[in-house]
Amino acid sequence: MSSAYERQRKLYEALQRTDASLAETLDRAMPDLPEPSSVTRTQDGCITILTGRDTDDSAAAGPFEDEDTRAFYESMPDLRAVVPAVLLGEAATPADTADQNESSVNGQGTPPPEAADSENGDSAPDNTDAADGTAADTEALGGAKTKAAVDALLAQLPKCISRDLCDELSVNFCYLNSKAARKRLTRVLCETHRSNLQLLPFYARIAAILSQVFPDVGAAVLKAQEDEFNFLQAKKDPTLRTLEARLRNARYLGELAKFRLAPFGTIFVMLKCLLDDFVQHNVDTACGLLETAGRFLYRLPETHTRMANMAEVMMKLKNARNLDARQSMLVDSAYYQCNPPQHSALKRKRRPAVQDWMRHLVFVQLGKDDVRKVLRKLRKLAWAENEAYLVRVMLKAVKGRFSQVPQVASLASGLARYHPSIGVAFVDALLEEVRCGLEVPEGGTYQQRVGHMRLLGEMYNFRLVDSRVVFDTLYLLLSFGHETPEEADKLDPPFSYFRIRLTCSLLETCGQFFNKGLAKKRLDRFLTFFQRYLLAKPPLPLDVEFDVQDLLAHLRPSLVRITEYEQAAQAVAAIEASEARSAAAGPAGLGAIEEEESDSDNSEDNSGSDSDAEGRGARDAIEEEDGAVFMTEQDDDDEHVKLLNPVKVDEEVDEDFEKELAALMTDFKLPPSGPFPQASASLEPADTAEGPDAGSTVSFRVMMKRGGRDDRSKAVQLPVNSSVAVNLRAKAEAEELERAEMKRLVLQAHQQDSFDYVPLPKVKQTLLGIGGPQGQSGSPRTASRPPSRGGGAASGFRGSKPASRGRG
């Protein structure tokens, strides 16, 4: 069937050439042949009749993708309108021109066909001879000058990298037209270097433009490429020497087919020849031919069906043959470039105007304007409806510029002053993203996860979280997914060092503030665990090792790194054993059960110390550097902002009331707990009416947190015979005896003073300074001195009644 088709195709092409020659001899244009109403193709060994409606939308839309491509391949200058006809060899003789004018004036009809044939037959050779003679005379007269002009023109060919340059060179060549010049031009067009494959479309355009008036140029270029193709196919050289030549030849033929210089049947014959022997370099050549002209032939109505069949055959051969990965990828790329998969148009998500405005403020304006301006605009939102979406937008901002992360944390800190709920929601969302990244460690989210670590560190710098959240996250990075070996291999493989980068990113952001107090101890403890994690991994790459060295040099310059895993494991075991012993000791002998204080509490309560003032000033300096210190309730401008959810501010506490309350609490040996007595931090029994039976319990008030107006306590039920209750009862009895003894001494001194009229100011002041009850004559320094944090917090029972005070 295929041989019969090829035989019929060759007969059809021969008939077309004969008709073209006859039309040129008769000096008439060829008649427009009607478009075929049906197309035949071979499918499953039979012939199927397909109408023109069987083509898809891409074929009906045109053979080219866009207007620029169509103009490059189809819009060409008309050389006959630009160049004089005498230079193109198409000038008519004066006698023929006079005869035609005379016949048109006299109104005579057209001559008979025999006369016309004889007349045209005589005149055509005369015109050709005249043109050749004119060209020969010009070349003979010009000599070396014409040859130099042709050489200069051909030297400009590699510089033709645009449509205008190709058109200009084609027009200039017409002024140097000669048979020898056309041969030289054809030779240069066919000798494209293998490193200049980008010039092939422009060379093919030059050949197509000149083929309008010089058909021998296009025919010579096509014949040279066909001969090269046949030579390379017959040679069957499997080495890489002929691969580049094959690819150049296939692409050149594809460009000529786009300019319609190469018949479509010739392209299909070559493609079929390649598919019949679909091995080695033939695979690359077929893919190159399809990548160049496959889409063009697929979109043409007259070649759409056959091109689709060829592409399907190539895919079947690819699945049947044992091709390597490179060639399989080439076949897939060529097929989908010829027939791309159908995709629905992407629809842009339409959001409400308020959400678009928030995204614009956070993504665009936050990097340009001051944070205060963005904060002022966001405060105008209806907070109840837009708070959740604003949290999502602020988290998405981490995906953008890495330098914008501190500004996002600064914005969250400013909004939390007016809307505390957004601070909690933002921290929760960030910690959830961190945990999700550990549960599903995808490679495409690495940059986003590093941004989350940086954001968490900046949130600590802006006091949205305390050090406990930071250290909990650090320990989570080291321990998550290590419950079982199988889970560890999946979530944290031995050669995965990304968690080390996350740890370094977080500590580089906020680790500089862990340099004193409880935070310093926590960091020292974590660094021991971190070194054990590092030594459990294979040897670190150089970039990761340098990051770790820079981090340790920045946080602990004097730290001596552990070099052996056994030493690190022993250090961790020692820390855990020490903590276990401390926990086993329990609360026995302690005056109070108090939770460890956070860094922010330390910085607020110990504001009088110089070291804490320096640490607080360092963190304030970072906020001032980013322009995000929100210390005033009013802005400097005159813009009025109405708070939809205003923050309730407590009234100022009376100082006299505070002094009297502190004096009263000191007299009863109970530590003051701020302006609200119901937030007491002492441990005391709730009910003493039942009596200390053997099976009864005593209620204590345990302080859970202490600091300013945020005191919190919790009721704890303990048996009467417990060590805590026994110790507190013994301490209460000792204090009662001490108060009774002090009362007796004071009364005795007062009586002696009354009878003898002898003043004893020194003895009285000494006795009062020892710790006696403070009445109206007590020392102001002692009465106004605030108790220490935790000192004296374990006082007696609430029901214990102090002794009567002396008036002296």
Side-chain angles (χ1 to χ4, degrees):
M1 181 65 69
S2 59
S3 60
Y5 172 78
E6 293 297 332
R7 187 165 52 254
Q8 294 295 331
R9 185 190 62 80
K10 291 181 180 179
L11 291 176
Y12 177 73
E13 292 180 356
L15 179 60
Q16 278 189 329
R17 288 195 296 270
T18 305
D19 292 343
S21 178
L22 179 60
E24 184 180 358
T25 303
L26 297 177
D27 198 12
R28 292 186 180 182
M30 288 184 60
D32 294 333
L33 299 177
E35 292 293 335
S37 59
S38 63
V39 182
T40 60
R41 67 170 181 171
T42 303
Q43 181 178 9
D44 297 333
C46 61
I47 298 178
T48 304
I49 305 299
L50 298 176
T51 61
R53 298 179 182 177
D54 191 54
T55 58
D56 60 354
D57 296 337
S58 62
F64 300 105
E65 300 290 341
D66 50 37
E67 185 61 25
D68 293 338
T69 306
R70 187 204 63 79
F72 181 80
Y73 287 102
E74 292 186 351
S75 179
M76 301 181 188
D78 187 5
L79 296 181
R80 292 183 176 87
V82 178
V83 182
V86 66
L87 296 177
L88 302 177
E90 297 181 353
T93 57
D96 295 337
T97 305
D99 294 340
Q100 292 177 1
N101 294 336
E102 184 177 357
S103 62
S104 62
V105 170
N106 295 334
Q108 297 177 358
T110 57
E114 294 81 7
D117 292 342
S118 61
E119 191 173 322
N120 289 330
D122 296 339
S123 61
D126 295 340
N127 292 338
T128 305
D129 296 339
D132 293 340
T134 303
D137 295 341
T138 303
E139 187 173 0
L141 293 175
K145 184 177 181 180
T146 305
K147 184 179 179 181
V150 173
D151 292 339
L153 184 65
L154 297 180
Q156 298 297 323
L157 276 175
K159 301 179 182 179
C160 294
I161 55 175
S162 66
R163 187 176 64 179
D164 296 336
L165 293 176
C166 294
D167 298 346
E168 182 181 357
L169 187 139
S170 301
V171 173
N172 294 336
F173 180 80
C174 293
Y175 288 94
L176 302 174
N177 176 35
S178 66
K179 190 174 181 180
R182 291 198 297 271
K183 288 183 179 180
R184 293 181 60 190
L185 175 64
T186 303
R187 186 166 54 253
V188 174
L189 291 177
C190 294
E191 293 177 353
T192 308
H193 195 267
R194 60 188 180 184
S195 62
N196 294 332
L197 298 183
Q198 73 278 2
L199 297 176
L200 294 180
F202 303 104
Y203 283 10
R205 179 178 175 84
I206 294 174
I209 294 174
L210 294 177
S211 296
Q212 299 176 6
V213 292
F214 307 124
D216 56 336
V217 175
V221 173
L222 176 61
K223 187 177 183 305
Q225 298 305 317
E226 290 179 347
D227 295 342
E228 184 179 4
F229 178 84
N230 295 330
F231 171 76
L232 293 173
Q233 282 297 111
K235 191 174 182 181
K236 296 184 181 296
D237 187 1
T239 61
L240 295 177
R241 293 184 303 172
T242 60
L243 179 59
E244 294 181 352
R246 286 173 178 267
L247 293 177
R248 186 193 65 82
N249 178 254
R251 293 183 181 180
Y252 210 155
L253 287 171
E255 296 295 339
L256 292 177
K258 287 183 180 181
F259 285 102
R260 303 177 189 269
L261 291 179
F264 299 148
T266 304
I267 302 299
F268 284 116
V269 170
M270 295 179 178
L271 183 58
K272 183 179 180 300
C273 180
L274 295 172
L275 295 180
D276 290 342
D277 188 17
F278 200 61
V279 293
Q280 296 179 355
H281 293 343
N282 288 347
V283 178
D284 299 77
T285 307
C287 293
L289 187 59
L290 250 66
E291 288 178 356
T292 306
R295 185 62 176 167
F296 169 76
L297 297 175
Y298 186 83
R299 293 171 67 96
L300 276 179
E302 58 268 25
T303 59
H304 167 75
T305 303
R306 193 175 183 189
M307 189 69 248
N309 291 339
M310 288 285 189
E312 292 295 336
V313 169
M314 188 176 69
M315 288 299 293
K316 291 180 181 179
L317 290 174
K318 174 242 178 183
N319 297 327
R321 303 293 176 87
N322 187 18
L323 302 179
D324 57 9
R326 183 188 67 85
Q327 291 181 339
S328 298
M329 182 185 64
L330 285 177
V331 173
D332 291 338
S333 176
Y335 176 79
Y336 288 114
Q337 188 169 353
C338 175
N339 182 18
Q342 298 296 330
H343 292 291
S344 59
L346 296 178
K347 295 182 179 179
R348 184 177 180 271
K349 185 177 181 181
R350 299 185 63 86
R351 302 182 181 88
V354 178
Q355 295 183 2
D356 287 337
W357 186 63
M358 285 190 289
R359 295 172 66 90
H360 173 72
L361 289 178
V362 176
F363 294 157
V364 180
Q365 295 299 325
L366 188 61
K368 297 180 180 179
D369 299 337
D370 188 11
V371 181
R372 283 191 177 89
K373 296 181 180 179
V374 179
L375 171 65
R376 193 180 304 114
K377 294 176 182 178
L378 289 176
R379 286 175 56 198
K380 300 177 182 178
L381 295 173
W383 202 253
E385 295 83 2
N386 300 304
E387 179 179 357
Y389 187 78
L390 181 59
V391 171
R392 292 166 51 193
V393 171
M394 293 170 65
L395 276 180
K396 288 183 179 179
V398 180
K399 299 180 181 179
R401 292 175 296 178
F402 194 71
S403 59
Q404 198 174 358
V405 173
Q407 298 174 347
V408 175
S410 174
L411 179 63
S413 175
L415 290 173
R417 291 181 56 84
Y418 304 98
H419 305 282
S421 58
I422 192 175
V424 178
F426 189 54
V427 173
D428 290 345
L430 178 60
L431 296 179
E432 183 66 23
E433 290 291 336
V434 172
R435 191 172 187 89
C436 290
L438 294 175
E439 293 175 353
V440 186
E442 298 179 355
T445 60
Y446 281 177
Q447 183 176 1
Q448 180 180 355
R449 292 172 63 187
V450 172
H452 287 159
M453 290 293 105
R454 172 78 183 276
L455 181 59
L456 181 60
E458 293 294 344
M459 289 170 66
Y460 173 79
N461 295 341
F462 287 100
R463 298 186 178 129
L464 281 176
V465 297
D466 57 6
S467 62
R468 292 180 182 177
V469 177
V470 176
F471 282 104
D472 288 345
T473 305
L474 290 173
Y475 284 113
L476 184 66
L477 293 176
L478 301 186
S479 61
F480 185 82
H482 288 270
E483 287 77 10
T484 60
E486 295 78 9
E487 189 176 3
D489 291 339
K490 179 181 178 181
L491 299 180
D492 189 17
F495 290 94
S496 176
Y497 307 98
F498 188 68
R499 292 192 181 187
I500 302 176
R501 296 182 184 274
L502 295 179
T503 305
C504 294
S505 177
L506 180 55
L507 289 179
E508 285 175 358
T509 306
C510 61
Q512 55 185 333
F513 300 113
F514 302 146
N515 53 2
K516 55 178 65 68
L518 183 60
K520 182 177 183 299
K521 298 179 181 179
R522 289 176 177 172
L523 181 59
D524 294 338
R525 181 183 188 274
F526 172 76
L527 290 179
T528 305
F529 283 79
F530 184 52
Q531 292 185 73
R532 185 186 67 172
Y533 180 82
L534 294 176
L535 295 173
K537 292 279 187 180
L540 303 181
L542 289 180
D543 55 342
V544 180
E545 179 65 27
F546 290 156
D547 291 342
V548 174
Q549 292 178 4
D550 294 341
L551 174 66
L552 296 179
H554 177 63
L555 299 180
R556 296 292 184 268
S558 59
L559 178 66
V560 179
R561 287 188 60 179
I562 303 175
T563 58
E564 298 294 336
Y565 178 78
E566 290 76 11
Q567 299 178 4
Q570 292 176 3
V572 171
I575 293 176
E576 293 177 347
S578 176
E579 294 176 352
R581 288 193 299 269
S582 301
L590 296 178
I593 302 175
E594 187 174 355
E595 196 177 79
E596 291 182 347
E597 301 170 2
S598 62
D599 298 347
S600 59
D601 296 336
N602 290 335
S603 63
E604 293 174 2
D605 296 336
N606 303 329
S607 58
S609 61
D610 298 336
S611 60
D612 294 332
E614 294 177 0
R616 189 170 59 256
R619 290 172 66 173
D620 290 341
I622 291 182
E623 297 177 358
E624 293 176 358
E625 183 179 354
D626 293 312
V629 183
F630 306 102
M631 300 302 294
T632 59
E633 295 292 335
Q634 297 180 354
D635 295 322
D636 296 335
D637 56 358
D638 299 333
E639 184 176 358
H640 178 67
V641 178
K642 181 180 179 181
L643 294 179
L644 300 178
N645 189 12
V647 180
K648 295 182 180 180
V649 182
D650 297 332
E651 298 180 358
E652 297 183 359
V653 182
D654 190 1
E655 296 182 359
D656 297 335
F657 174 77
E658 287 294 323
K659 291 181 179 179
E660 299 212 354
L661 178 62
L664 179 63
M665 299 299 290
T666 304
D667 292 339
F668 282 92
K669 292 299 180 181
L670 295 177
S673 59
F676 304 102
Q678 63 269 22
S680 177
S682 62
L683 285 83
E684 44 191 307
D687 191 3
T688 58
E690 298 178 356
D693 298 336
S696 62
T697 60
V698 181
S699 177
F700 292 89
R701 303 293 297 179
V702 181
M703 177 185 295
M704 304 304 297
K705 184 176 181 182
R706 178 181 179 186
R709 304 187 182 98
D710 195 16
D711 289 343
R712 290 182 296 188
S713 60
K714 182 178 179 181
V716 179
Q717 300 292 334
L718 295 177
V720 177
N721 56 357
S722 63
S723 60
V724 177
V726 172
N727 291 336
L728 291 179
R729 186 181 297 276
K731 185 175 182 179
E733 293 176 355
E735 290 179 354
E736 186 71 22
L737 294 175
E738 183 182 0
R739 280 195 293 269
E741 179 68 18
M742 294 302 300
K743 178 182 177 181
R744 187 183 63 79
L745 293 176
V746 171
L747 290 176
Q748 182 179 359
H750 182 68
Q751 291 177 359
Q752 185 177 0
D753 184 33
S754 299
F755 289 115
D756 299 340
Y757 299 99
V758 178
L760 298 174
K762 184 175 181 180
V763 175
K764 185 176 181 180
Q765 292 176 5
T766 304
L767 293 175
L768 293 178
I770 294 175
Q774 299 175 6
Q776 297 179 356
S777 62
S779 172
R781 180 170 176 267
T782 306
S784 61
R785 183 182 61 190
S788 61
R789 299 179 63 91
S795 61
F797 297 98
R798 179 179 294 179
S800 61
K801 182 178 179 181
S804 59
R805 302 169 55 200
R807 299 181 59 86

